[in-house]
């Protein structure tokens, strides 16, 4: 696919350096990519010998401008690309966010910090832990923390001045033992901050500091013969032990490791992430990614790793994956273990990714089956309502369009098994009819359509729908009779005003229940045929207007007018072209003629009306 001259000029000046590039269409950024060599990478998109898939070709066709940023290393390009994708969310880049927000546990940045749940991360100095895969999982951890530590839940501003002034009184939470009353200065800030420090460690997967703390307090209380207090510490210690026991323990020798696995099909990829701290899996996430440009597993996983590590604030220096992967990140080791505890951990992650894939593919298949069942039910209803002898698996609907007799055209849309089959849609130029004669036009297009199907030995529809009343229907019937198809294909007409269904030769229309699925299918066919005809008619009318205006310019013939019409569609767009751009299209002499015509006295490059 060739780029236009402006893009080719820009590409020729791109640097042979690492960095990122941005593709723009008329509305903004549509793709961000990284490259070791920016010019080579961008040029590869426009290489005629390159074998691009349909999605990439569609991206290339929309590119109107290119920008780039040079960086020092490939690693810098990798991270900058990730940041720009999150910032601009371009249409053709893979995005992890699907509108769903995940819960976090937040240690609020304030004096006598609260520990709360939230789904919104804001940059206010607070510390966030998560995200958790579900609210239930998050609340289990939050309830454990609130049982272990007597934290405040009020939103008072507990500044030293406010407390000294006695502005607050303890509430019910203090009286039932859930809070130590910092609002009345009943607990010192140092002790309270010890609680917060231990909570941070628990949320980071390090339970040893909190366990040591409760063991020491229990021993001190027992030594002072405070057996009830010692028992309360013992209960808290048991809670921590129970929580740790319920965590998935993989190996005490594994600490601070990120595990990523990926599996994919043609349309989607499925990724699982496990975060391991101190031998236990403390966080997990599974994602489904919809491919945008037929990305490889390596490209997808690299994107996911950077984004999820940022999301989970991971500082792990070791990453385990199920595919060979190179990430241009400093001090990061990536392995694909074959045996031992790490291999078991990888298998667990892959098992989760495969489960998600199986579940989603099963759901898609189920939805497909349900859709097919619904479509068959609608067709059965249509067969019954119209008293057909066979199931209308293929239905074709015809419509005419003209404007005051000019540019008469017709359209035919085809539905197979209740769904549009757009490859079978057809447009018709009316050839044998002069003036606005919908009846004769309908006869012509029905004749042409089914004569061709017969000659090519193509399957015939089980039902024909004519958008119009008795007149159009009778001429369509005449066409079928002349082709010896009368009685072999069911045919009906639909009148717009009252949604009446007409049978050939029957004076009285059939009224189908307005809520009926079969009537809705007929209406959908009729509306689609009308849309298809109107779109075609407008394009012909606009083309005629543009061609007429261009051919009136002395020195511009029909061949040149056709070429410009094919590409630009409107006079307004032509008037916006510079002399150099016109020269590229039609040569220097004709370009000068057009430019002078468009920019003669009283006109400017932007004054033209769309034709």
């Amino acid at each position: 696919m060739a780029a236009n001259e402006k893009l080719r000029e820009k590409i020729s000046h791109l640097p042979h350096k690492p960095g990122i590039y941005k593709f723009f269409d008329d509305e903004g950024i549509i793709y961000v990519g990284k490259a070791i060599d920016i010019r080579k990478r961008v040029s590869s998109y426009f290489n005629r010998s390159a074998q691009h898939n349909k999605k990439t070709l569609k991206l290339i066709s929309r590119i109107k401008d290119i920008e780039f940023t040079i960086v020092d290393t490939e690693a810098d390009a990798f991270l900058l690309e990730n940041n720009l994708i999150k910032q601009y969310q371009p249409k053709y880049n893979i995005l992890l966010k699907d509108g769903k927000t995940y819960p976090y546990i937040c240690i609020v940045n304030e004096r006598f910090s609260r520990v709360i749940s939230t789904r919104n991360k804001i940059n206010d100095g607070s510390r966030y832990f998560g995200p958790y895969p579900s609210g239930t999982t998050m609340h289990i951890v939050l309830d454990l923390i609130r049982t272990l530590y007597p934290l405040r839940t009020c939103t008072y501003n507990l500044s030293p001045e406010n407390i000294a002034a006695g502005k607050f009184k303890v509430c019910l939470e203090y009286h039932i033992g859930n809070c130590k009353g910092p609002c009345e200065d009943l607990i010192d800030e140092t002790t309270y901050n010890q609680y917060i420090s231990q909570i941070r460690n628990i949320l980071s997967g390090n339970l040893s500091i909190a366990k040591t703390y409760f063991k020491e307090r229990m021993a001190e209380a027992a030594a002072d013969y405070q057996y009830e207090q010692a028992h309360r510490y013992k209960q808290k210690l048991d809670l921590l032990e129970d929580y740790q026991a319920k965590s998935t323990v993989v190996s005490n020798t594994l600490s601070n490791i990120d595990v990523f696995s990926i599996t994919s099909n043609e349309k989607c990829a499925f990724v699982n992430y496990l975060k391991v701290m101190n031998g236990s899996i403390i966080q997990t996430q599974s994602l489904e990614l919809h491919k945008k440009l037929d990305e490889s597993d390596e490209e997808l996983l690299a994107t996911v790793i950077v984004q999820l590590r940022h999301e989970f604030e991971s500082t792990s220096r070791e990453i385990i994956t199920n595919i060979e992967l190179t990430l241009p990140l400093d001090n990061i080791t990536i392995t694909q273990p074959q045996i031992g505890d790490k291999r078991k951990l990888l298998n667990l992650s892959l098992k989760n990714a495969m489960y998600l894939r199986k579940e989603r593919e099963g759901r898609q298949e189920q939805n497909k089956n349900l859709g097919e069942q619904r479509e068959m039910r609608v067709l059965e209803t249509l067969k019954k309502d119209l008293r057909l002898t066979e199931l209308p698996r293929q239905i074709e609907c015809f419509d005419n369009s003209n404007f005051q007799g000019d540019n008469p055209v017709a359209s035919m849309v085809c539905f197979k098994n209740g769904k549009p089959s757009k490859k079978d849609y057809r447009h018709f130029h009316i050839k044998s009819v002069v003036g606005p004669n919908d009846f004769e036009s309908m006869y012509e297009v029905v004749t042409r359509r089914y004569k061709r199907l017969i000659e090519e030995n193509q399957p015939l529809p089980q039902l024909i729908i004519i958008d119009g009343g008795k007149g159009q229907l009778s001429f369509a019937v005449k066409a079928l009779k002349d082709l010896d198809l009368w009685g072999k294909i069911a045919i009906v007409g639909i009148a717009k005003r009252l949604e009446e269904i007409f049978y050939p030769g029957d004076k009285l229309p059939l009224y189908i229940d307005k809520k009926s699925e079969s009537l809705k299918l007929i209406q959908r066919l009729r509306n689609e045929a009308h849309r298809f005809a109107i779109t075609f008619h407008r394009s012909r009318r606009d083309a005629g207007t543009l061609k007429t205006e261009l051919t009136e310019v002395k020195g511009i013939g029909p061949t040149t007018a056709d070429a410009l019409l094919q590409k630009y569609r409107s006079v307004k767009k032509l008037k916006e072209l510079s002399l150099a751009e016109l020269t590229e299209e039609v040569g220097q002499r004709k370009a000068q003629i057009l430019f002078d015509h468009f920019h003669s006295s009283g006109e400017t490059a932007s004054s033209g009306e769309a034709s």
Side-chain angles (χ1 to χ4, degrees):
M1 177 178 289
N4 64 37
E5 196 63 32
K6 192 179 294 184
L7 285 180
R8 286 188 178 280
E9 177 71 15
K10 181 160 286 192
I11 292 170
S12 68
H13 290 91
L14 293 176
H16 289 291
K17 292 182 178 297
I20 62 94
Y21 54 91
K22 294 179 283 188
F23 291 154
F24 293 78
D25 66 2
D26 293 330
E27 298 177 358
I29 296 176
I30 56 174
Y31 186 75
V32 175
K34 62 182 178 300
I36 299 176
D37 185 313
I38 296 175
R39 189 191 297 183
K40 282 186 178 180
R41 182 68 186 102
V42 174
S43 297
S44 69
Y45 286 95
F46 301 96
N47 187 342
R48 294 184 180 183
S49 62
Q51 298 296 315
H52 296 303
N53 59 52
K54 289 182 179 180
K55 294 179 180 178
T56 304
L57 289 174
K58 188 174 181 180
L59 163 67
I60 295 168
S61 70
R62 294 188 58 182
I63 299 172
K64 295 294 190 296
D65 197 8
I66 301 169
E67 290 184 3
F68 66 91
T69 301
I70 298 173
V71 295
D72 292 329
T73 66
E74 183 185 359
D76 292 333
F78 190 82
L79 295 174
L80 179 56
E81 176 200 38
N82 180 260
N83 291 334
L84 292 175
I85 290 172
K86 285 191 291 185
Q87 179 181 352
Y88 294 108
Q89 300 193 0
K91 179 178 180 179
Y92 289 94
N93 284 103
I94 286 290
L95 304 171
L96 298 193
K97 291 299 183 183
D98 57 358
K100 180 178 181 181
T101 57
Y102 293 96
Y104 293 83
I105 291 177
C106 172
I107 298 178
V108 183
N109 181 28
E110 60 190 6
R111 194 164 181 257
F112 296 106
S113 298
R114 289 171 295 134
V115 180
I116 62 173
S117 63
T118 183
R119 289 182 182 269
N120 299 311
K121 288 179 68 176
I122 56 176
N123 188 19
D124 62 350
S126 298
R127 183 74 187 276
Y128 294 86
F129 297 86
Y132 291 89
S134 70
T136 301
T137 304
M138 182 270 299
H139 281 294
I140 290 173
V141 180
L142 193 58
D143 289 344
L144 169 70
I145 289 169
R146 288 173 176 168
T147 303
L148 293 174
Y149 300 99
L151 304 177
R152 74 175 179 118
T153 57
C154 64
T155 58
Y156 297 143
N157 177 10
L158 299 187
S159 65
E161 296 79 14
N162 287 342
I163 294 174
K167 289 187 175 182
F168 313 115
K169 297 293 182 183
V170 293
C171 63
L172 179 62
E173 290 295 304
Y174 171 80
H175 292 294
I176 62 177
N178 290 339
C179 177
K180 289 293 186 180
C183 58
E184 289 194 31
D185 205 21
L186 300 178
I187 180 174
D188 64 273
E189 191 172 358
T190 301
T191 302
Y192 193 95
N193 285 339
Q194 283 183 333
Y195 298 161
I196 297 298
S197 177
Q198 291 173 33
I199 291 169
R200 286 198 191 98
N201 281 300
I202 292 173
L203 293 174
S204 299
N206 184 5
L207 275 63
S208 60
I209 295 176
K211 288 166 68 175
T212 299
Y213 173 82
F214 287 124
K215 283 180 182 178
E216 290 175 351
R217 300 292 83 74
M218 181 177 67
E220 290 173 359
D224 290 341
Y225 306 106
Q226 298 177 16
Y227 297 116
E228 290 185 5
Q229 182 65 32
H231 179 66
R232 283 194 285 271
Y233 284 124
K234 176 65 165 61
Q235 288 178 317
K236 294 179 184 291
L237 186 59
D238 289 342
L239 279 173
L240 276 176
E241 297 281 3
D242 183 60
Y243 173 71
Q244 188 172 36
K246 288 179 179 177
S247 301
T248 303
V249 178
V250 285
S251 172
N252 290 328
T253 62
L254 301 180
S255 179
N256 203 11
I257 297 174
D258 287 337
V259 185
F260 291 90
S261 61
I262 185 170
T263 178
S264 66
N265 55 32
E266 291 183 0
K267 295 182 178 180
C268 298
F270 306 88
V271 177
N272 176 260
Y273 167 54
L274 303 177
K275 184 175 179 64
V276 180
M277 289 289 291
N278 300 313
S280 296
I281 298 170
I282 64 167
Q283 286 170 323
T284 178
Q285 185 78 291
S286 293
L287 298 170
E288 177 185 8
L289 306 175
H290 296 275
K291 296 181 180 180
K292 297 292 184 69
L293 299 173
D294 196 28
E295 296 86 351
S296 66
D297 285 357
E298 291 77 10
E299 291 175 293
L300 293 171
L301 192 56
T303 299
V304 171
I305 287 175
V306 173
Q307 294 199 34
L308 284 187
R309 279 173 59 88
H310 174 75
E311 191 79 24
F312 284 87
E313 299 181 359
S314 174
T315 58
S316 171
R317 294 299 179 189
E318 181 176 2
I319 297 174
I320 296 175
T321 71
N322 67 318
I323 62 173
E324 187 172 344
L325 188 69
T326 301
L327 285 179
L329 300 177
D330 297 332
N331 302 318
I332 297 292
T333 302
I334 302 176
T335 59
Q336 297 87 47
Q338 303 301 315
I339 58 174
D341 290 333
K342 291 183 179 180
R343 181 65 204 186
K344 292 177 182 177
L345 193 58
L346 180 58
N347 287 341
L348 178 62
S349 176
L350 189 57
K351 184 177 180 180
N352 278 275
M354 292 297 295
Y355 178 84
L356 178 63
R357 175 177 177 175
K358 183 178 179 181
E359 185 266 332
R360 294 297 166 85
E361 290 178 343
R363 186 188 302 175
Q364 291 171 1
E365 185 65 27
Q366 182 182 24
N367 291 339
K368 179 182 177 183
N369 292 336
L370 289 174
E372 290 175 352
Q373 291 173 14
R374 178 189 175 278
E375 289 152 8
M376 289 302 104
R377 185 185 71 242
V378 174
L379 294 182
E380 290 285 357
T381 304
L382 184 61
K383 176 186 175 184
K384 179 181 177 182
D385 287 344
L386 296 183
R387 302 189 292 275
L388 305 177
T389 58
E390 57 182 326
L391 196 67
R393 291 184 175 273
Q394 180 171 328
I395 308 172
E396 297 185 350
C397 182
F398 292 82
D399 185 31
N400 292 328
S401 178
N402 67 74
F403 179 70
Q404 296 179 351
D406 292 332
N407 300 307
V409 297
S411 71
M412 186 282 297
V413 299
C414 177
F415 277 33
K416 292 183 177 179
N417 294 323
K419 296 186 293 186
S421 177
K422 295 195 174 183
K423 66 182 180 64
D424 295 304
Y425 283 21
R426 294 293 183 269
H427 282 135
F428 298 90
H429 295 279
I430 303 303
K431 299 178 179 179
S432 63
V433 181
V434 179
N437 191 328
D438 284 345
F439 300 158
E440 291 290 350
S441 296
M442 187 62 69
Y443 175 84
E444 177 186 326
V445 297
V446 171
T447 300
R448 287 166 55 188
R449 168 64 176 168
Y450 298 114
K451 183 179 180 181
R452 181 164 187 170
L453 289 187
I454 293 170
E455 290 173 347
E456 296 178 355
N457 199 27
Q458 296 293 318
L460 297 170
Q462 290 78 43
L463 175 63
I464 299 171
I465 298 173
I466 303 300
D467 182 10
K470 296 179 182 179
Q472 286 96 328
L473 177 61
S474 64
F475 274 77
V477 168
K478 183 176 183 296
L480 293 182
K481 288 180 178 178
D482 290 346
L483 293 169
D484 196 26
L485 292 177
W486 176 242
K488 299 177 183 179
I489 307 175
I491 183 169
V492 297
I494 178 171
K496 296 182 178 66
R497 190 170 66 86
L498 296 175
E499 306 293 48
E500 301 164 316
I501 306 297
F502 288 97
Y503 287 95
D506 195 338
K507 293 181 180 180
L508 298 176
L510 170 69
Y511 293 97
I512 301 177
D513 187 337
K514 292 290 191 292
K515 297 181 180 179
S516 169
E517 290 180 318
S518 60
L519 178 61
K520 290 179 179 178
L521 176 59
I522 293 173
Q523 291 170 331
R524 187 180 172 201
L525 275 147
R526 187 267 312 282
N527 294 340
E528 180 70 350
H530 185 65
R531 178 199 66 79
F532 198 50
I534 288 294
T535 302
F536 183 45
H537 179 257
R538 284 174 179 165
S539 67
R540 284 203 66 204
R541 189 180 66 202
D542 292 348
T545 304
L546 174 58
K547 185 174 178 180
T548 300
E549 179 167 347
L550 290 178
T551 51
E552 286 178 351
V553 180
K554 189 176 180 180
I556 303 299
T559 302
T560 302
D562 283 339
L564 292 173
L565 160 66
Q566 185 75 21
K567 186 167 186 179
Y568 291 99
R569 299 290 178 183
S570 74
V571 173
K572 179 179 179 182
K573 289 182 179 179
L574 281 173
K575 289 182 178 181
E576 291 173 350
L577 298 180
S578 66
L579 181 59
E581 289 170 326
L582 282 169
T583 301
E584 181 183 340
E585 296 293 341
V586 297
Q588 185 174 356
R589 185 183 67 82
K590 291 181 181 179
Q592 190 65 56
I593 291 172
L594 284 172
F595 191 81
D596 291 343
H597 172 75
F598 290 147
H599 302 282
S600 60
S601 59
E603 286 194 340
T604 65
S606 61
S607 64
E609 295 297 325
S611 63

